[in-house]
Amino acid sequence: QVQLVESGGGLVQPGGSLRLSCAASRSIFSVNVMGWYRQAPGKQRELVGTITSGGRTVYADSVKGRFTISRDNAKNTVYLQMSSLKPEDTAVYYCNVWPVYGPRNNYWGQGTQVTVSA
């Protein structure tokens, strides 16, 4: 059974930092590119960035230079370090394999809420 469990969200002031974690089932983590996604109220879910099993990362322009994705292959965990947070970063953050299609749409976890507000 595939499981993705996100954690680490919360309320943070603009300019602050947070680190999110995502614990994944070994069955999908070890062989896949992992991605962080987010969905703001009233908007479609969007890709924040991805990381290969070898650690290569790609980021959306909106977070480039502020967010860093890393992974611990021994722990089947992927991280999202967020800094210089802005109110527009407010969203529910999810991890999943990348790309998401077909049965992979069933992998989504509950996400973790990040709220950036003064």
Side-chain angles (χ1 to χ4, degrees):
Q1 183 178 359
V2 172
Q3 282 193 318
L4 293 163
V5 181
E6 301 91 348
S7 61
L11 173 64
V12 63
Q13 292 187 340
S17 299
L18 275 178
R19 189 176 86 150
L20 308 183
S21 300
C22 171
S25 302
R26 183 176 181 181
S27 60
I28 64 169
F29 185 86
S30 62
V31 298
N32 283 289
V33 177
M34 298 297 296
W36 278 100
Y37 304 78
R38 66 185 181 185
Q39 186 168 21
K43 295 187 177 181
Q44 288 191 331
R45 186 150 39 195
E46 64 176 357
L47 178 66
V48 173
T50 60
I51 186 167
T52 68
S53 57
R56 181 178 295 182
T57 54
V58 176
Y59 300 96
D61 287 343
S62 59
V63 306
K64 202 173 294 183
R66 300 188 299 121
F67 290 10
T68 302
I69 299 174
S70 60
R71 63 193 286 166
D72 185 332
N73 291 334
K75 296 182 178 179
N76 298 329
T77 300
V78 61
Y79 303 97
L80 179 64
Q81 177 68 48
M82 305 183 294
S83 60
S84 302
L85 283 162
K86 305 175 181 180
E88 51 263 43
D89 294 318
T90 295
V92 179
Y93 284 72
Y94 304 86
C95 70
N96 203 342
V97 299
W98 179 88
V100 179
Y101 59 88
R104 295 180 171 190
N105 282 295
N106 297 324
Y107 295 173
W108 296 107
Q110 82 288 350
T112 186
Q113 176 71 48
V114 172
T115 303
V116 184
S117 175

